[in-house]
Amino acid sequence: MKDTMDYMIRPANSDDALDLARLIDIAGEGIPSWLWAKSAGDNQSPLDVGVSRALRDSGGFSYRNAIVAERSDAVVGMALTYPIDAAPDDDLDDLPSPVAPFVALEAHSVGTWYVNALAVRTGARGAGIGATLLAEVEELARTAGYSVLSIQVYEQNTGAVRLYLRTGFEIVERAPVRSHPCQPYYTGDVLLLTKSI
């Protein structure tokens, strides 16, 4: 894909599963590991569950839907992205409470190329990696025939909100946060942002 300064953007592969699991947990503010813990078997950690999900060939959280930023042979960032062609049919009251606002907003994302997760490791932030990943996602979406990107974020995650607004996204919908034990945001909204490309 792209060589940019001291890092490279490339498609993820199955060898990236551990990094993808760690990064999606960062992007999801701890919600992924909280959910993985609920389905972990004997002698299995939540991270083990995340890795097994990243290794799947299908489903939203699959290495096949991810691109990564690599610096010095280490994965330092990722974007998990795919189209949303139909509204979810889940009953929001049957979902774990922290997931419900995100699923509710997905109904407003039908027909878009969805950025499910974007994360950059703490020590690699500030180098433009997040913006470069988003630019690469735009290319993927255009190539696939999509003209709108969508992404969701907690409104209190002001750094991420600034990045999305700076790169051309606009807030189009919101849903109230439903808290859970590991979530850092107990009030406010989850925002849905879109960008025409």
Side-chain angles (χ1 to χ4, degrees), residues 161-174:
V161 172
R162 272 195 312 273
L163 170 64
Y164 304 149
L165 294 174
R166 189 177 74 240
T167 55
F169 284 84
E170 297 179 353
I171 299 167
V172 295
E173 192 64 56
R174 53 181 66 225

Side-chain angles (χ1 to χ4, degrees), residues 108-109 112 148-151 164-165 168-173 192-196:
H108 300 281
S109 302
T112 71
V148 178
L149 298 180
S150 63
I151 194 165
Y164 304 149
L165 294 174
F169 284 84
E170 297 179 353
I171 299 167
V172 295
E173 192 64 56
L192 171 65
L193 298 91
T194 62
K195 177 182 180 179
S196 295

Side-chain angles (χ1 to χ4, degrees), residues 131-152:
T132 304
L133 283 164
L134 285 172
E136 191 62 33
V137 168
E138 281 190 38
E139 289 303 313
L140 292 170
R142 277 193 201 96
T143 299
Y146 287 79
S147 59
V148 178
L149 298 180
S150 63
I151 194 165
Q152 298 180 29

Side-chain angles (χ1 to χ4, degrees), residues 26-93:
I26 291 169
E29 308 277 4
I31 292 172
S33 61
W34 180 75
L35 291 170
W36 298 336
K38 293 179 171 299
S39 60
D42 293 339
N43 300 317
Q44 189 179 39
S45 72
L47 187 59
D48 292 335
V49 175
V51 169
S52 68
R53 294 204 174 160
L55 284 168
R56 297 181 300 182
D57 286 325
S58 61
F61 183 36
S62 163
Y63 73 91
R64 293 184 183 275
N65 293 329
I67 56 174
V68 297
E70 187 175 67
R71 174 190 282 162
S72 302
D73 296 323
V75 172
V76 295
M78 72 93 181
L80 181 69
T81 181
Y82 48 83
I84 295 184
D85 293 323
D89 58 1
D90 303 277
D91 182 336
L92 297 182
D93 292 330

